[in-house]
Amino acid sequence: MSTYWLQVTEPGHPTRVITVEGELEVGRDTPGLQVDDPTVSRRHLVLDARDGVLLCVDAGSANGTWINGEQIIDPVPLATGDVIRVGETELVVHEGRAVPVHEGVEGGEPVVVEVLDRPSEAIRDLTRATTRGPRRA
């Protein structure tokens, strides 16, 4: 079971972290993820998290949707670390997975750690990872 979340960076606003569950519309005027960016369409794109895949679909936006520097036309499955650019706003994809509980913990069921419990720690980890470059063995 996967849980997807986005690190959202908009011009003039602090970075925020949101969880993607099911279908999520992104745009300036949408009930989903609203971004404060005049270069983003009112309904810019749709993210759809189903069956262990996060899919990105441009919703006919005026300025296009870009993933890792390439404009998309067709729906694109996303992976951890993919960067979605809409206007001047950047969305970085992250994925969490269910992990087994340590021995001795009651229940024995896999647990998903809720990303929003510690968003500041996750953002610090992301910042460190992007400023250091790739890890070497």
Side-chain angles (χ1 to χ4, degrees), residues 56-125:
C56 180
V57 181
D58 184 84
S61 64
N63 293 325
T65 299
W66 302 76
I67 298 177
N68 301 327
E70 294 186 30
Q71 188 171 13
I72 67 166
I73 297 169
D74 297 319
V76 174
L78 299 169
T80 299
D82 281 347
V83 177
I84 305 166
R85 180 159 300 272
V86 291
E88 295 179 27
T89 300
E90 184 175 274
L91 312 168
V92 181
V93 177
H94 299 276
E95 181 181 4
R97 296 187 183 267
V99 295
V101 178
H102 297 295
E103 287 185 30
V105 176
E106 288 186 34
E109 292 292 320
V111 209
V112 174
V113 177
E114 181 57 47
V115 180
L116 298 179
D117 286 348
R118 302 187 67 132
S120 60
E121 183 176 331
I123 291 169
R124 278 194 306 273
D125 290 345

